[in-house]
Amino acid sequence: MSLAEHLYTTVTDVRSQLFFLEKVHQARMGEIVEVVFPDGRKLEGEVLKIERDTVLVQIFGDCSGMDTGKTTVVFSDSLKQAPLSLRMLNRVYNGSFKPMDNKPLFVPDRWQPATGFPMNPTRRARPQEFIETGFSSIDGLNTLVKGQKLPIFSCAGLPAKEIIGRILADSRMSGSDAGFAVIFVALGLTHHEYSFYMRTLEKMSSNFVAFINLAEDSVVERLLAPRFGLTAAEYLAFDRGMDVLVIVADITNYCDALRELSMAREELPGRRGYPGYMYSDLASIFERAGRITGMPGSVTMLPVITMPEDDITHPIPDLTGYITEGQIVLSREMHQQGIFPPVDVLPSLSRLMQKGIGKGMTMEGHRELANRLYATYARGIDLRGLEAIVGREGLSESDRVILDFAGAFENEFVHQEQRRTIAETLECGAELLRRLDPARDADSA
Amino acid sequence: MQGKVIGISGPTVTVDLPDLTLYERVSVGNDKLQGEVVRLRPASAVVQVYEETKGLRVGEPAVRENSPLTVRFTPGLLGGIFDGLQRPLQRLGEEFGPFIRPGDMLPFVPCEQQYPFVAEKKAGDRVGQGEYIGYVEEGAFRHYIAASAEGVIREIRDGNICPEDRVAILEDGTEALLWHQWPIRTARPFTRKKFPRSLLVTGQRCIDFLFPLAFGGTAVMPGGFGTGKTILEQAVAKYADVDIVVYVGCGERGNEMAEMLEEFRSLADPWTGRSLLDRTILVANTSNMPVAAREASIYTAVSMAEYYRDMGYHVLLLADSISRWAEALREISSALEEMPGEEGYPTYLASRLSGFMSRAGVVETLNGKTGSLSMVLSVSPPGGDFTEPTTQACLRNTGAFLMLDTDLAHRRHFPAINWAQSFSLYDRDVAEYCAREISPKWPEVKKRCQALLKQEEQLREVAEIVGDEGLQDADRLLMHVAEQIRSRFLCQNSFTDDAFSGPQSTFELIEKLVAMYDRCLERIRQGESLGEILLEEHP
């Protein structure tokens, strides 16, 4: 620590969220500064780059009103830290971890850098405890386990938030003593979406912490909010032994903020203008989910991604899919058919399902049942393509049965009005397959 | 020699140390973060730092280490898990807790364990540099210890030795220890390279039969997400018929590495029956670990692989995924403000990659043994687009190309290797080898199998229009057999006993399917109907 705070008025080059400062003595990478505007307004900023005594600072807000003579910059000698305590629970904060309820900040037990540290892979425990979400398409075919990161790939206009809402209200985690908490990070949401989520959170009986960065809020804070959320999550999970579910909506807004700032910094653009380091940057968020051997608690992540142009090969869903342990893909077509949740089962996947299902966890025979449902449905979808050409009459009797199965699967298994337990889900799937049986015998002959 | 930090930008740090050499190691800051000189300027140098630079302050000390970035070779590497800088993650976890903080340094020399050294030379013998003077037993392997310089042995000892002790001393006073260092970016020398021509059994029918890998060869597997790259890499790591496996988790998921570690500990090597971990070295630089160390990780791994190759072992290096390495290269290049090539990648991407892949091969070692280093690299093309620079650079260097297909993966056809687009340049030589070693009919059956799959593809187009019923019996038979080849031969479930298939059973299965086709076709020609024949074939 330096003995005194350093104070400078040597701002030179100012852009929308960035400015250069000269003649700075021994700045620190990532150091937090306070910028005092000529009109007395104060904003925080962070050191991005240092070249001898010239420093590039990114401001958590907007530089409008800044000048190059009177603006004062105060160096704090510390990095962006998150205040941590159990007292953080059940309150709402902005992207900089400032309370939004006009009450003072709690007294933290300790501070921790918001960026976190990578988990040592040898200390990771394998995620394998089943989480019952109540949705058959997830529990039965793309099972979620504690410590997993499973994004929801949505399209504009699809009910991703209703699905998240239902998961929040209906999820059952097999018990942990310290309890359960939800961390909700809103990134660039409209007020309409935000209030939907908040209503759901407030109705819940479990603990929550919310970090809110709305569509009109600072883009820089949009990059910070998920990091604060995860630092809080790690604290609750690994210091306090809680099972924590982290909901981040919407990663697409996060990535756009990343692109915007990258451009402002005049970095080289990669695919579609997104920076080349977007993969590593997203990984620094998603990889914080997990469990640790010999410790209670877990961090499970359910990020929401709105695929631009409904395109799964767009860099945002693409890079996400490379990092996360599977994905739940929503389909516009199924939504138009009135199916809720409109989960497109074929491209959806849970990579950690294998270890979380079966005897002792869900039910014996779960894997086989899921495989048969999946394979038969895939076959049915193929036949739908064929039916479009040759007509239903052109299909053989056994093919028609499979075709009907696909329809029934969507309407009875994927679609659901009520929450289903895992037993109900598996029974529903088994029942659908039983209808197939006479045809199946003939078919395999 | 001490200097100080004068600039910081992402993973690169500028220091004012004079007289540095390129690729020399420098430690920066109070936390002694490790880095490597990547650019020299008058009176300053740019250092690529292998750890998070946040919190580093201008004016903190920078110290030159007088050596390039090295890897330490010693008994005890096998069964270990390291990060990209060869820090022992297991011990790091025990000493520093579940999270890795910048500056948590633990050099890798396993001093706790002693190894019984058997001398093969005696005092008075003349040895050349790199010549073996004796060995220790490392699990099932004989781990040879080389002389560090040329000279005459003054003293050499047998018996239990810990890696820090010296085993021999030469007349000129040079000591030989159980461990030594090697610069990771330098390929280890050998006498000559040989042509790869014998089959490296991976245990995957589709690879071994259709797109074989040869000892000393290279294969790349590009595929979009969810096409099963990692599962396939891990299956090959488990079942490949090699002595030693080096697996690099390069910028991939932490949970996967944890799972692999756990699984390898409990699984037995199908070839020797010993624990799989005993023949494996894991290098884990997960996606959230520092990017610059990710760039170094594949070199650390390949150096360790070469070290065992030099002892005369067959070593297989698997990297998942080389795209993440290329991205790390891009990130560093961009921090250095270099002129970008295609999609922002530096223009030297292709040459660096070929330099790396050229370290594979069958070689005659300096000690007259034959060893091999083979590589299987997965590639993660963005958006599943194979025209991107990394995939293309790999294609120019690779011996086998295993294209993983999103469509097949969606149908849960695993391994999702596209049989129409993949290729292997070792094909012909390996077929000759298999004709000799496994069955003389291997090349012929292979041709038949490929033809059946090809014909099925054409028939499928017809069938989609006229329906299955519109086809003649002979064509329907072909479709049926091709379907059997796809589902029973090409598909292989990694989670069941079927995960491994030896070359003999691979051949028997395909031979049986092709023979069934011939038999049924003959009966159709004689006027029997397909329905009846199939009822008999599949009671």
Side-chain angles (χ1 to χ4, degrees):
Chain A
M1 290 293 239
S2 55
L3 292 174
E5 284 179 332
H6 292 280
L7 225 137
Y8 299 95
T9 51
T10 47
V11 173
T12 52
D13 187 348
V14 184
R15 298 168 204 176
S16 65
Q17 293 107 357
L18 300 167
F19 64 86
F20 282 95
L21 197 64
E22 284 183 346
K23 304 199 177 80
V24 179
H25 180 65
Q26 299 200 334
R28 207 182 260 287
M29 188 70 167
E31 187 168 346
I32 293 302
V33 299
E34 191 181 48
V35 184
V36 187
F37 286 67
D39 60 4
R41 251 182 334 126
K42 287 178 181 174
L43 272 179
E44 275 195 342
E46 187 182 20
V47 173
L48 278 190
K49 192 172 169 177
I50 313 167
E51 183 127 13
R52 291 182 189 265
D53 62 356
T54 305
V55 168
L56 176 65
V57 178
Q58 171 170 291
I59 201 162
F60 300 139
D62 204 306
C63 287
S64 59
M66 197 162 168
D67 73 343
T68 56
K70 291 194 278 299
T71 302
T72 318
V73 182
V74 188
F75 278 67
S76 68
D77 196 41
S78 64
L79 302 184
K80 196 76 186 165
Q81 305 249 351
L84 298 172
S85 161
L86 272 185
R87 287 178 291 272
M88 74 168 89
L89 289 171
N90 304 317
R91 291 183 64 181
V92 181
Y93 307 88
N94 73 2
S96 285
F97 219 141
K98 302 252 159 57
M100 286 173 77
D101 46 13
N102 295 324
K103 284 184 225 144
L105 184 71
F106 53 87
V107 182
D109 295 340
R110 62 187 180 87
W111 294 80
Q112 169 106 355
T115 40
F117 299 106
M119 206 185 275
N120 186 326
T122 60
R123 294 294 306 273
R124 278 185 185 268
R126 178 152 83 183
Q128 52 191 9
E129 289 164 87
F130 169 62
I131 299 175
E132 191 181 88
T133 64
F135 285 122
S136 295
S137 45
I138 298 178
D139 294 348
L141 296 175
N142 299 290
T143 317
L144 176 69
V145 292
K146 269 190 210 172
Q148 184 174 14
K149 38 194 181 293
L150 189 66
I152 294 180
F153 285 5
S154 178
C155 310
L158 296 193
K161 64 177 186 297
E162 282 78 8
I163 294 175
I164 292 283
R166 286 270 291 267
I167 291 178
L168 284 180
D170 291 345
S171 280
R172 309 245 197 292
M173 292 209 189
S174 45
S176 101
D177 305 335
F180 170 68
V182 174
I183 305 262
F184 173 58
V185 184
L187 300 175
L189 293 191
T190 60
H191 197 268
H192 171 76
E193 292 167 308
Y194 159 69
S195 24
F196 175 88
Y197 281 116
M198 285 315 290
R199 270 204 309 277
T200 318
L201 282 179
E202 276 151 15
K203 265 191 280 177
M204 284 174 55
S205 52
S206 45
N207 290 310
F208 74 88
V209 186
F211 295 88
I212 306 299
N213 173 278
L214 294 184
E216 67 268 29
D217 292 340
S218 152
V219 190
V220 185
E221 277 184 352
R222 201 162 292 165
L223 303 189
L224 219 48
R227 297 191 160 81
F228 277 130
L230 283 155
T231 307
E234 282 171 356
Y235 170 79
L236 294 175
F238 305 128
D239 281 32
R240 300 292 176 173
M242 297 170 101
D243 284 314
V244 185
L245 183 63
V246 183
I247 312 273
V248 187
D250 184 315
I251 290 290
T252 307
N253 296 331
Y254 173 87
C255 292
D256 283 350
L258 197 68
R259 174 168 67 177
E260 185 178 335
L261 289 169
S262 166
M263 285 298 121
R265 291 159 69 169
E266 296 180 346
E267 290 169 338
L268 285 174
R271 288 218 160 191
R272 297 216 182 188
Y274 293 97
Y277 52 77
M278 192 157 87
Y279 174 83
S280 301
D281 189 277
L282 286 174
S284 74
I285 294 178
F286 294 140
E287 275 289 313
R288 291 173 80 173
R291 292 171 64 232
I292 296 177
T293 29
M295 286 181 159
S298 63
V299 176
T300 310
M301 270 184 98
L302 281 177
V304 178
I305 286 144
T306 304
M307 297 185 279
E309 302 152 39
D310 301 3
D311 176 10
I312 199 167
T313 65
H314 184 281
I316 299 172
D318 189 53
L319 293 180
T320 302
Y322 275 124
I323 304 165
T324 54
E325 286 136 349
Q327 64 276 338
I328 303 291
V329 183
L330 305 187
S331 139
R332 189 175 295 283
E333 207 177 308
M334 289 179 72
H335 179 60
Q336 283 160 352
Q337 287 170 40
I339 293 165
F340 179 83
V343 174
D344 189 350
V345 171
L346 298 185
S348 299
L349 172 74
S350 163
R351 294 169 189 268
L352 300 178
M353 171 179 188
Q354 191 68 24
K355 301 292 177 325
I357 60 171
K359 203 174 175 185
M361 273 138 344
T362 53
M363 256 164 75
E364 204 174 349
H366 184 161
R367 175 91 254 174
E368 293 71 27
L369 181 75
N371 283 351
R372 276 194 59 202
L373 284 171
Y374 186 95
T376 319
Y377 179 61
R379 180 88 205 287
I381 295 300
D382 276 354
L383 288 171
R384 250 187 221 165
L386 195 57
E387 185 198 17
I389 304 167
V390 300
R392 189 178 165 86
E393 288 65 36
L395 296 177
S396 68
E397 179 53 36
S398 60
D399 282 352
R400 263 177 262 163
V401 174
I402 306 268
L403 194 65
D404 293 342
F405 170 87
F409 177 82
E410 286 169 359
N411 289 311
E412 296 169 41
F413 186 83
V414 178
H415 180 75
Q416 58 191 90
E417 306 283 341
Q418 296 292 321
R419 172 180 208 289
R420 290 196 196 121
T421 64
I422 182 67
E424 285 164 352
T425 288
L426 296 179
E427 178 44 40
C428 172
E431 205 277 318
L432 283 173
L433 285 172
R434 274 197 293 275
R435 287 187 215 165
L436 213 63
D437 258 350
R440 191 171 68 96
D441 293 340
D443 194 47
S444 67
Chain B
M1 195 66 201
Q2 191 156 342
K4 54 185 194 305
V5 173
I6 54 173
I8 310 165
S9 166
T12 60
V13 171
T14 314
V15 299
D16 66 355
L17 278 167
D19 305 326
L20 288 167
T21 52
L22 203 60
Y23 290 115
E24 178 172 353
R25 206 148 47 92
V26 172
S27 78
V28 297
N30 298 331
D31 284 337
K32 296 199 168 48
L33 308 179
Q34 295 297 303
E36 215 181 355
V37 177
V38 287
R39 178 175 293 174
L40 290 170
R41 293 204 184 108
S44 73
V46 182
V47 177
Q48 161 184 344
V49 174
Y50 293 117
E51 295 182 72
E52 178 61 58
T53 52
K54 262 200 175 160
L56 188 65
R57 178 203 288 280
V58 168
E60 284 190 25
V63 184
R64 72 183 290 187
E65 303 270 346
N66 293 310
S67 80
L69 187 67
T70 55
V71 53
R72 293 178 180 215
F73 296 139
T74 154
L77 289 173
L78 292 175
I81 173 165
F82 306 94
D83 78 347
L85 303 179
Q86 211 199 12
R87 285 187 290 188
L89 287 173
Q90 200 89 45
R91 266 179 50 219
L92 217 58
E94 284 155 16
E95 296 206 9
F96 295 103
F99 295 94
I100 306 173
R101 289 176 169 75
D104 287 355
M105 241 356 234
L106 261 188
F108 174 63
V109 176
C111 317
E112 315 88 77
Q113 206 176 337
Q114 293 213 324
Y115 295 91
F117 178 74
V118 181
E120 286 186 323
K121 301 276 182 197
K122 55 184 189 308
D125 284 354
R126 171 163 285 279
V127 290
Q129 186 182 358
E131 193 176 328
Y132 291 141
I133 54 173
Y135 61 85
V136 298
E137 302 286 347
E138 184 182 9
F141 300 98
R142 196 164 271 195
H143 186 119
Y144 289 95
I145 306 300
S148 44
E150 192 184 337
V152 177
I153 298 174
R154 185 200 300 167
E155 200 183 305
I156 188 164
R157 52 184 274 205
D158 278 303
N160 282 345
I161 290 179
C162 101
E164 296 281 23
D165 294 342
R166 75 161 190 253
V167 290
I169 186 161
L170 300 183
E171 287 296 354
D172 65 356
T174 319
E175 295 186 329
L177 308 177
L178 277 194
W179 70 275
H180 70 280
Q181 304 197 45
W182 186 264
I184 61 168
R185 295 183 198 277
T186 310
R188 285 176 63 86
F190 49 83
T191 310
R192 65 189 180 93
K193 251 188 194 175
K194 298 178 175 179
F195 197 77
R197 54 178 83 237
S198 50
L199 173 71
L200 193 165
V201 177
T202 62
Q204 301 294 309
R205 286 187 290 263
C206 181
I207 301 178
D208 291 348
F209 190 68
L210 290 180
F211 311 108
L213 185 59
F215 277 107
T218 51
V220 297
M221 333 194 282
F225 68 80
T227 50
K229 286 186 299 296
T230 304
I231 303 258
L232 186 54
E233 286 258 338
Q234 293 188 359
V236 174
K238 280 180 214 162
Y239 302 117
D241 179 21
V242 291
D243 300 313
I244 286 162
V245 170
V246 181
Y247 188 100
V248 201
C250 180
E252 289 287 314
R253 304 175 182 92
N255 277 335
E256 275 168 6
M257 293 312 291
E259 192 173 322
M260 201 170 155
L261 196 63
E262 192 183 311
E263 208 177 354
F264 274 43
R265 210 169 265 146
S266 59
L267 281 180
D269 176 356
W271 301 92
T272 60
R274 302 175 65 100
S275 162
L276 263 183
L277 206 57
D278 289 349
R279 70 161 198 180
T280 311
I281 301 173
L282 293 172
V283 178
N285 220 91
T286 57
S287 54
N288 56 341
M289 285 158 80
V291 165
R294 189 198 299 168
E295 193 273 327
S297 67
I298 64 165
Y299 294 105
T300 301
V302 77
S303 302
M304 291 195 279
E306 282 177 341
Y307 176 61
Y308 282 97
R309 172 205 70 186
D310 287 349
M311 293 178 210
Y313 295 116
H314 295 295
V315 187
L316 175 62
L317 176 96
L318 298 125
D320 184 23
S321 116
I322 212 73
S323 296
R324 305 298 165 225
W325 167 82
E327 282 164 16
L329 202 66
R330 172 168 71 183
E331 209 164 306
I332 296 158
S333 159
S334 147
L336 290 172
E337 296 176 354
E338 291 173 337
M339 189 69 98
E342 222 179 322
E343 292 195 18
Y345 285 100
T347 44
Y348 49 79
L349 168 69
S351 59
R352 288 270 172 97
L353 193 61
S354 22
F356 169 74
M357 289 176 77
S358 303
R359 289 173 80 167
V362 193
V363 301
E364 188 185 312
T365 70
L366 296 180
N367 281 283
K369 298 169 185 292
T370 300
S372 74
L373 169 52
S374 319
M375 291 186 186
V376 176
L377 313 172
S378 71
V379 182
S380 321
D385 169 12
F386 290 0
T387 61
E388 59 94 33
T390 314
T391 314
Q392 288 304 314
C394 280
L395 270 176
R396 266 177 279 163
N397 293 297
T398 189
F401 169 67
L402 306 168
M403 177 190 150
L404 300 183
D405 190 318
T406 312
D407 261 0
L408 289 176
H410 281 176
R411 284 167 209 277
R412 299 295 198 257
H413 173 112
F414 287 116
I417 299 170
N418 181 312
W419 51 88
Q421 307 274 327
S422 305
F423 64 78
S424 164
L425 302 178
Y426 310 113
D427 209 357
R428 181 179 295 187
D429 292 304
V430 168
E432 279 172 21
Y433 168 88
C434 294
R436 241 181 5 254
E437 302 289 327
I438 298 158
S439 163
K441 287 198 291 187
W442 182 289
E444 185 210 322
V445 174
K446 179 168 171 175
K447 252 182 229 143
R448 294 287 315 279
C449 169
Q450 282 166 324
L452 283 173
L453 290 169
K454 178 95 197 133
Q455 283 169 312
E456 187 218 11
E457 205 181 304
Q458 293 158 351
L459 280 177
R460 183 162 294 278
E461 283 165 20
V462 179
E464 265 171 24
I465 300 163
V466 301
D468 277 2
E469 282 72 12
L471 295 177
Q472 294 184 333
D473 269 6
D475 289 344
R476 283 173 58 204
L477 170 71
L478 191 141
M479 300 267 293
H480 173 80
V481 173
E483 147 70 24
Q484 293 279 315
I485 291 177
R486 281 189 285 119
S487 63
R488 287 173 57 195
F489 183 73
L490 296 179
C491 279
Q492 218 170 324
N493 187 337
S494 296
F495 301 109
T496 61
D497 291 341
D498 192 33
F500 169 76
S501 168
Q504 201 66 47
S505 54
T506 293
F507 182 72
E508 279 163 16
L509 179 56
I510 186 67
E511 193 188 22
K512 207 174 76 187
L513 289 169
V514 172
M516 177 182 90
Y517 174 71
D518 291 343
R519 197 167 55 238
C520 297
L521 190 64
E522 188 50 40
R523 289 172 66 179
I524 288 175
R525 289 217 176 103
Q526 288 172 6
E528 289 182 60
S529 87
L530 181 65
E532 284 168 31
I533 300 172
L534 290 186
L535 268 178
E536 276 175 43
E537 289 287 338
H538 304 287

